[in-house]
C-alpha cells in the first residue's frame, strides 16, 4: 500500500507541476495576445480614419484650406467596433486637444481576484502604449495613441486562465483517477506476494501463491512458490535429521549409563568394600589409617550419590517400561525428595499420555528435565508448576508448561544462548512445534507445544543407527 500511495502522490505532484506550467504559459500568452490586439486595433482605427479623411475631401468638400484634415466625426459607433475590448484610442486632429475612445470593459470578462491582479502586475507590469501615425505621407495629420487598459488585460488573462486551466485541471483530475486506478490494479498482486512471504517468515511452508498475471508478478509468484517448496523440503529433511540425532543421542545416553553403572559403579562399590576392610583391620593397629579409610568411604558414597543422579538423567529406558506419566511422576518425586531442594514441584497431567509416540514422549521428558533444572538452579522459586496436557484427539496437540514464582526475566531467558534452551528449541522444531517463553504472575512461564501429526520415526536414508 505504501508503494501505491507513493506513486499516486508522485502522479499528483507531476500533475500540479504541469498545471502550474500551463497557468504560466496561459498568462504569458494572454499578455502577448493583449499587445497584439492593441496593435491590431491601432491599425484598424488608423485605416478607418484615413478613409474618413479621403471621404471628407472627395465627397463632402469640407477640406480646410489651412490644413488638410478630415472632419472630426471619427468618434462614432463604426469606429468603436474596430477597437478590441479593453483598448483605448487617443487621437488629436491637428492642433486640437486629444480625445479618447475606449471599448467597453465588461466585454472582456469578469473581474479577477485581487491576488491574481497583484501577481499579474508584479510579473508583467503595465502595457507600453502604441503610437501609430495616421498616414506616413502626411505626418501633420497626427498620430493615434493606443493603450491597453490594465484592468482589461487582467480580466482577459483571468478569463483565459480560468477556461484553459479549468479544462486542464478537469482533464488532469480524470487522468489522475484513471492512472491511480491503473496503478492500483497493476500493483494488486504485490499484496498477495507480501502475504505469501509473511507466511514463509512465520514458517508456513505449505502455503502457495495463486496464479497471478503472466508478467513480472507471475514470475515473482512462481519464484516464491519454488522457494516455499524448497524451504519445506529442507525443513522436513532437517527435522528428520534432528530426530535421528536425538535418537542417536538417546542411544549414546543409554550406552554411557550402562558403562557408568557397570564399570564406575562397580569400582565405587569395591572401593567402599576395601575402605571398610582397611578400617576394620586398622582400628586396633593404627587409628590414623582407620580414619583415612572412613574418609575414603565418605568420598566414595558421595561419588555414588552423584553417579545415581547422573544415571537418572541419562537413562530413558524407563519410558519404554513405565510410560511418560509414571516417569514424570518419578521425576517430580525425585526433585521433591532431595534434602537440598529449593522449591516444591507441583505436577498435573491432563489427557491420555499413554499412546504418545516414543520419540515425542522422550522429548517431553527431556524438556521437563531441562526446565526443572533451570528453575531450581537459576531462580529463587518456592513453587514450580509442571503441567502436561493433551488436547482433544481431533486437535492433535500436546503441551508442556513449566511455571515458577522465582521472578526472573523472560526476555533474557528467551535470548539466552545456552545449550539448554537451544536443545529445547531443536527438539520442538524437529516435530514442527512451538516454544513460548513469557512472564508469569510471579516468575517465568515456558510453554512447549508439539503437534501430534503422523511422522516417520525411522532413520533417514543414509544414516545408520549408532
Amino acid at each position: 500500500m505504501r508503494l501505491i500511495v507513493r506513486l499516486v502522490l508522485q502522479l499528483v505532484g507531476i500533475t500540479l507541476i504541469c498545471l502550474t506550467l500551463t497557468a504560466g504559459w496561459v498568462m504569458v500568452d494572454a499578455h502577448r495576445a493583449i499587445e497584439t490586439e492593441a496593435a491590431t486595433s491601432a491599425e484598424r482605427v488608423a485605416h478607418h480614419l484615413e478613409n474618413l479623411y479621403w471621404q471628407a475631401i472627395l465627397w463632402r468638400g469640407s477640406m480646410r484650406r489651412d490644413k488638410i484634415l478630415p472632419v472630426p466625426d471619427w468618434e462614432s459607433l463604426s469606429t468603436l467596433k474596430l477597437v478590441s475590448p479593453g483598448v483605448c484610442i487617443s487621437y488629436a486632429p491637428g492642433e486640437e486637444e486629444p480625445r479618447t475612445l475606449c471599448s467597453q470593459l465588461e466585454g472582456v470578462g469578469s473581474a479577477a481576484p485581487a491576488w491574481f491582479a497583484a501577481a499579474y502586475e508584479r510579473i508583467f507590469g503595465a502595457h507600453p502604449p502604441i503610437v501609430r501615425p495616421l498616414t506616413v505621407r502626411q505626418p501633420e495629420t497626427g498620430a493615434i495613441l493606443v493603450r491597453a487598459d490594465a484592468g482589461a488585460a487582467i480580466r482577459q488573462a483571468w478569463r483565459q486562465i480560468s477556461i484553459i486551466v479549468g479544462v486542464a485541471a478537469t482533464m488532469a483530475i480524470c487522468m489522475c483517477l484513471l492512472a491511480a486506478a491503473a496503478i492500483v490494479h497493476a500493483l494488486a498482486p504485490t499484496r498477495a506476494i507480501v502475504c505469501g512471504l509473511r507466511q514463509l517468515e512465520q514458517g508456513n511452508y505449505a502455503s502457495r501463491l495463486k496464479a497471478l498475471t503472466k508478467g513480472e508478478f507471475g514470475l515473482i509468484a512462481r519464484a516464491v512458490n519454488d522457494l516455499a517448496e524448497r524451504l519445506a523440503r529442507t525443513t522436513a529433511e532437517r527435522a528428520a535429521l534432528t530426530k535421528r540425532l536425538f535418537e542417536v543421542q538417546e542411544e549414546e545416553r543409554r550406552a554411557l549409563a550402562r558403562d557408568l553403572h557397570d564399570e564406575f559403579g562397580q569400582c565405587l562399590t569395591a572401593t567402599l568394600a576395601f575402605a571398610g576392610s582397611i578400617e576394620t583391620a586398622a582400628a586396633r593397629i593404627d587409628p590414623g589409617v582407620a580414619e583415612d579409610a572412613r574418609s575414603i568411604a565418605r568420598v566414595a558414597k558421595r561419588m555414588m550419590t552423584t553417579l545415581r543422579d547422573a544415571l537418572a538423567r541419562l537413562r530413558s529406558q524407563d519410558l519404554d517400561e513405565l510410560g511418560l506419566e509414571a516417569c514424570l511422576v518419578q521425576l517430580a518425586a525425585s526433585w521433591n525428595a532431595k534434602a537440598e531442594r529449593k522449591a516444591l514441584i507441583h505436577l498435573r497431567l491432563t489427557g491420555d499420555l499413554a499412546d504418545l509416540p516414543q520419540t515425542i514422549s522422550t522429548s517431553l521428558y527431556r524438556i521437563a528435565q531441562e526446565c526443572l533444572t533451570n528453575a531450581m538452579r537459576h531462580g529463587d522459586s518456592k513453587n514450580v508448576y509442571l503441567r502436561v496436557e493433551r488436547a482433544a484427539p481431533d486437535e492433535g496437540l500436546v503441551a508442556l508448561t513449566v511455571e515458577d514464582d522465582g521472578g526472573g526475566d523472560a526476555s533474557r531467558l528467551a535470548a539466552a544462548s545456552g545449550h539448554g534452551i537451544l536443545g529445547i528449541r531443536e527438539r520442538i522444531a524437529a516435530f514442527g512445534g512451538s516454544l513460548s517463553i513469557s512472564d508469569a504472575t510471579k516468575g517465568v512461564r515456558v510453554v512447549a507445544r508439539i503437534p501430534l501429526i503422523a511422522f516417520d520415526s525411522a532413520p533417514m536414508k543414509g544414516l545408520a543407527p549408532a
Side-chain angles (χ1 to χ4, degrees):
M1 288 301 296
R2 293 181 179 178
L3 176 61
I4 295 175
V5 173
R6 187 164 61 250
L7 291 177
V8 172
L9 291 178
Q10 290 178 357
L11 180 61
V12 171
I14 293 174
T15 304
L16 292 177
I17 293 175
C18 293
L19 287 177
T20 303
L21 295 177
T22 302
W25 177 81
V26 170
M27 290 179 66
V28 173
D29 184 72
H31 183 76
R32 293 177 179 176
I34 292 172
E35 293 180 349
T36 302
E37 290 179 359
T40 304
S41 298
E43 291 292 334
R44 289 197 298 261
V45 172
H47 183 69
H48 177 67
L49 292 182
E50 187 176 1
N51 289 336
L52 290 179
Y53 166 75
W54 289 111
Q55 288 177 8
I57 294 177
L58 297 177
W59 298 104
R60 298 181 182 179
S62 58
M63 184 178 67
R64 299 180 181 180
R65 298 300 180 181
D66 53 349
K67 291 183 180 180
I68 304 176
L69 293 174
V71 178
D73 57 353
W74 62 277
E75 298 175 288
S76 61
L77 183 60
S78 59
T79 306
L80 186 63
K81 292 180 180 179
L82 301 176
V83 181
S84 299
V87 176
C88 294
I89 302 294
S90 297
Y91 176 63
E95 297 178 357
E96 298 182 10
E97 291 294 328
R99 284 174 285 183
T100 302
L101 182 65
C102 296
S103 64
Q104 293 182 356
L105 187 62
E106 288 75 10
V108 179
S110 60
W115 61 268
F116 180 82
Y120 186 88
E121 292 178 354
R122 179 174 297 181
I123 295 174
F124 299 103
H127 291 273
I130 298 175
V131 179
R132 203 280 191 187
L134 182 63
T135 175
V136 179
R137 291 171 296 179
Q138 293 179 338
E140 66 274 8
T141 57
I144 297 174
L145 180 65
V146 181
R147 292 179 181 272
D149 188 11
I154 294 174
R155 286 192 178 200
Q156 187 170 352
W158 174 250
R159 183 185 63 182
Q160 294 184 10
I161 288 177
S162 300
I163 296 174
I164 297 178
V165 175
V167 174
T170 302
M171 294 179 60
I173 292 174
C174 295
M175 292 177 62
C176 283
L177 294 177
L178 294 176
I183 291 173
V184 171
H185 178 73
L187 297 181
T190 57
R191 179 175 300 179
I193 293 174
V194 171
C195 292
L197 293 175
R198 292 295 185 190
Q199 292 292 327
L200 294 182
E201 181 184 9
Q202 296 172 3
N204 184 12
Y205 304 135
S207 65
R208 295 292 184 272
L209 293 178
K210 297 181 180 179
L212 301 176
T213 59
K214 296 182 179 180
E216 289 77 4
F217 289 122
L219 296 176
I220 294 174
R222 286 194 292 272
V224 172
N225 290 336
D226 293 341
L227 176 62
E229 184 177 355
R230 179 168 296 183
L231 287 174
R233 186 168 57 251
T234 303
T235 303
E237 292 174 356
R238 189 183 71 172
L241 178 61
T242 303
K243 292 177 185 177
R244 179 56 188 154
L245 290 176
F246 282 129
E247 292 175 1
V248 173
Q249 186 184 64
E250 292 299 327
E251 293 173 1
E252 291 295 331
R253 285 173 179 266
R254 295 190 188 99
L256 182 59
R258 287 195 301 269
D259 292 341
L260 289 176
H261 180 272
D262 296 341
E263 299 295 335
F264 196 62
Q266 292 180 5
C267 291
L268 287 177
T269 302
T271 301
L272 282 173
F274 290 148
S277 299
I278 293 173
E279 180 183 0
T280 302
R284 297 179 181 179
I285 301 174
D286 190 349
V289 175
E291 181 61 28
D292 292 339
R294 285 191 293 271
S295 298
I296 293 174
R298 287 194 295 270
V299 173
K301 289 180 180 179
R302 286 198 300 270
M303 292 178 66
M304 290 190 70
T305 302
T306 304
L307 178 61
R308 282 193 294 268
D309 293 339
L311 292 176
R313 291 193 301 270
L314 290 174
R315 285 175 176 172
S316 62
Q317 62 266 26
D318 291 342
L319 289 170
D320 301 331
E321 300 173 358
L322 303 177
L324 178 61
E325 294 184 8
C327 289
L328 290 175
V329 172
Q330 185 179 15
L331 177 63
S334 64
W335 277 105
N336 291 331
K338 290 183 179 181
E340 67 278 6
R341 68 175 176 85
K342 296 181 179 180
L344 180 64
I345 307 298
H346 302 270
L347 176 64
R348 189 180 72 182
L349 305 176
T350 304
D352 185 12
L353 304 179
D355 60 345
L356 290 177
Q358 181 62 34
T359 52
I360 293 182
S361 298
T362 302
S363 294
L364 289 173
Y365 182 77
R366 294 301 183 192
I367 293 172
Q369 272 188 323
E370 182 64 32
C371 290
L372 292 179
T373 301
N374 290 336
M376 293 296 185
R377 291 181 178 177
H378 305 296
D380 297 329
S381 306
K382 301 299 181 183
N383 295 279
V384 179
Y385 301 90
L386 172 61
R387 297 188 298 272
V388 180
E389 302 171 298
R390 181 175 182 179
D394 55 346
E395 297 182 9
L397 181 70
V398 60
L400 183 147
T401 304
V402 178
E403 181 179 340
D404 60 55
D405 57 359
D409 188 357
S411 59
R412 291 185 58 185
L413 180 60
S417 58
H419 296 288
I421 295 296
L422 179 60
I424 292 175
R425 293 185 187 276
E426 290 177 348
R427 287 183 180 274
I428 296 174
F431 298 99
S434 62
L435 177 66
S436 173
I437 302 176
S438 60
D439 293 325
T441 304
K442 296 181 179 180
V444 177
R445 181 187 298 110
V446 179
V447 181
R449 297 181 178 87
I450 297 178
L452 300 178
I453 58 175
F455 64 95
D456 184 11
S457 59
M460 291 180 58
K461 184 178 181 180
L463 291 177

